Amino acid sequence: MKKAAARHPETLLAHLGRDPASHFGAVNTPVYHASTLLFDSVEAMQEAGHRRLEKGKSSYGRSGTPTTFAFEDTVAALEGGYGAVAVSSGLQAITVTLMSFATAGSHLLMPDSVYFPARRICDSLLQRLGVETTFYDPAIGAGIAELIRDNTALVYLESPGSLTFEVQDVPAIVAAAQAAGVVTAIDNTWATPLYCTPRSLGVDVVLHAATKYLVGHSDAMLGVVVCGEQHYAQLRRTSQFLGCAAAPDDVYLGLRGLRTLAVRLERHQSTALRLCAWLAERPEVDRLLYPALPGHPQHAIWQRDFRGASGLFGLTLKPCKSEAVLALVDGLDLFGIGASWGGYESLMIVTDPDSARSATRWNPPGPSLRIHAGLEHPDDLIADLEAGFARFNEINRGQATLTG
Ligand SMILES: *Cc1c(COP(=O)(O)O)cnc(C)c1O
């Protein structure tokens, strides 16, 4: 496709990562199942080995195939990066990013609202290798400057934060990091490149749990890291040295999911807004955690930096009995109970954000929940929630006992 930069993201989603002329006329880039790649000569094999850190080059199935490169190039173009590195999960995208910049004796800055397994890798494996991590208040903004040290290797962001949905002041944090010459990386899974492009806000490295909205159908594990030319070889080297190969069928499912991302996200967003409007009227609800709502503490930042909101949000309840919450969630018919999100189906889980924090506290009056608004008809979802609150109130009648 020519003149890609001038076109809208919806158009790019339909056309990037395809080359029918190279693939028998097939509309979609096929799945290449390959481990061994054969060469015409010893010299050709050595040459491929030397060039395997370059974009679109491979000497072995582990360093990628045309399916991998089609997915990588598509996400890189959507995020405004030079290139992308596909890996086998979102968590691997995080670990490849951290291990590309951390060195023994260096220091990382991570938001206190970070996806919990990212905290765990800092507090275990990286700590063991002599890397120190400071967790910071996600609302810190320009104040991050005071936490940057001479040995700070990376300022990491995630916006909005996992479970609690704080929106970070990305330009303010990036400005402080750039002034100190420190690399920045962000987890952009919630917004997808359609609703936020952090590289346009100055962030160096953008990563995704493609498992979520990019794949979009709850059937593949996939991660991807996007960056400028400056950091590309470094990220690709870490990924290849660690052996982080994305599986062929899963990168294909990532490409396939991208084709419908724009229409899916529109529906996820409108349903999330419908559910929030309904939940806001419920007497059992304390607070909704969704950046698109005017009452969200960083709503103005979201309006400034994002083009939309996806279907994942949180809420806190007023003080209530824990059995009432279980009756609500366990009895739901359409909302599944399970990890992950970004598929076509609705989910609801009970969360415990305070147990995953160290720099700030999360003390709502009652329990915290997280909802993924799927592609079902919103009226059916609301009817399911209404029945859930009826079960809740049957048990909760009388004295409130449980707090957050
Ligand atoms: C789920 C998730 C990840 C991890 O992705 P996996 O593919 O499940 O490993 C990373 N970041 C965020 C924000 C997530 O929600």
Side-chain angles (χ1 to χ4, degrees):
M1 190 182 58
K2 292 164 197 151
K3 287 191 291 182
R7 299 215 164 114
H8 294 89
E10 293 82 354
T11 308
L12 300 183
L13 287 174
H15 286 271
L16 291 177
R18 304 209 277 110
D19 186 11
S22 306
H23 302 291
F24 204 60
V27 168
N28 293 292
T29 301
V31 180
Y32 279 77
H33 276 281
S35 53
T36 298
L37 305 178
L38 300 177
F39 297 90
D40 287 344
S41 66
V42 172
E43 193 189 355
M45 183 178 168
Q46 286 172 344
E47 160 85 359
H50 290 136
R51 301 186 63 185
R52 77 189 195 290
L53 294 183
E54 292 174 25
K55 208 164 68 161
K57 300 285 183 215
S58 184
S59 60
Y60 183 38
R62 201 173 57 206
S63 27
T65 70
T67 325
T68 323
F69 303 141
F71 174 72
E72 291 176 341
D73 292 348
T74 301
V75 179
L78 292 167
E79 285 286 7
Y82 164 79
V85 179
V87 293
S88 70
S89 71
L91 180 56
Q92 200 165 67
I94 295 170
T95 55
V96 162
T97 300
L98 298 180
M99 296 197 70
S100 290
F101 298 101
T103 53
S106 71
H107 171 243
L108 305 177
L109 282 166
M110 303 285 286
D112 211 25
S113 52
V114 75
Y115 176 65
F116 180 73
R119 171 185 292 271
R120 200 169 51 192
I121 198 89
C122 293
D123 285 346
S124 58
L125 189 133
L126 288 176
Q127 188 184 54
R128 207 173 71 215
L129 299 177
V131 180
E132 192 188 346
T133 304
T134 302
F135 292 92
Y136 65 88
D137 182 342
I140 197 165
I144 195 88
E146 285 159 42
L147 299 181
I148 295 176
R149 305 178 191 167
D150 290 344
N151 63 341
T152 302
L154 182 72
V155 176
Y156 186 95
L157 303 94
E158 183 185 326
S159 183
S162 278
L163 308 182
T164 45
F165 299 89
E166 297 92 338
V167 179
Q168 297 198 256
D169 191 341
V170 174
I173 292 173
V174 164
Q178 282 178 351
V182 178
V183 176
T184 50
I186 192 167
D187 186 328
N188 195 33
T189 302
W190 181 85
T192 85
L194 250 62
Y195 287 169
C196 186
T197 40
R199 284 184 49 79
S200 69
L201 303 173
V203 179
D204 296 307
V205 178
V206 181
L207 65 91
H208 286 277
T211 307
K212 309 290 167 58
Y213 283 121
L214 306 193
V215 166
H217 294 71
S218 306
D219 53 5
M221 302 295 306
L222 190 61
V224 62
V225 187
V226 180
C227 60
E229 192 167 4
Q230 189 189 0
H231 298 120
Y232 180 78
Q234 197 171 344
L235 284 157
R236 189 134 191 233
R237 187 180 299 115
T238 308
S239 166
Q240 292 204 6
F241 284 12
L242 290 171
C244 306
D249 290 302
D250 291 351
V251 284
Y252 181 86
L253 291 171
L255 270 169
R256 182 175 162 132
L258 282 168
R259 306 300 174 202
T260 57
L261 180 64
V263 285
R264 285 188 286 113
L265 275 183
E266 252 176 57
R267 178 61 174 264
H268 286 297
Q269 173 170 241
S270 68
T271 298
L273 284 165
R274 272 285 310 275
L275 298 186
C276 282
W278 185 84
L279 287 162
E281 299 298 318
R282 292 298 310 194
E284 303 88 348
V285 172
D286 164 57
R287 195 151 72 90
L288 288 158
L289 313 168
Y290 190 48
L293 300 177
H296 186 279
Q298 293 95 29
H299 178 66
I301 296 178
W302 172 79
Q303 273 191 312
R304 184 191 66 192
D305 296 343
F306 291 68
R307 292 180 292 276
S310 63
L312 190 77
F313 62 95
L315 65 119
T316 54
L317 296 170
K318 291 179 183 159
C320 59
K321 291 178 182 164
S322 58
E323 312 83 65
V325 180
L326 298 182
L328 191 174
V329 181
D330 289 347
L332 290 167
D333 190 28
L334 300 177
F335 291 82
I337 303 168
S340 205
W341 44 274
Y344 52 83
E345 82 286 15
S346 291
L347 300 166
M348 189 190 291
I349 57 168
V350 178
T351 65
D352 183 14
D354 200 49
S355 70
R357 300 198 157 218
S358 57
T360 56
R361 296 308 304 268
W362 180 257
N363 283 324
S368 303
L369 300 172
R370 190 185 72 184
I371 291 179
H372 181 245
L375 302 179
E376 300 92 338
H377 196 290
D379 289 348
D380 295 333
L381 295 176
I382 286 170
D384 203 19
L385 291 177
E386 188 151 33
F389 277 113
R391 289 189 299 275
F392 175 99
N393 285 317
E394 206 160 295
I395 292 175
N396 202 46
R397 222 176 275 132
Q399 217 190 325
T401 51
L402 186 81
T403 60

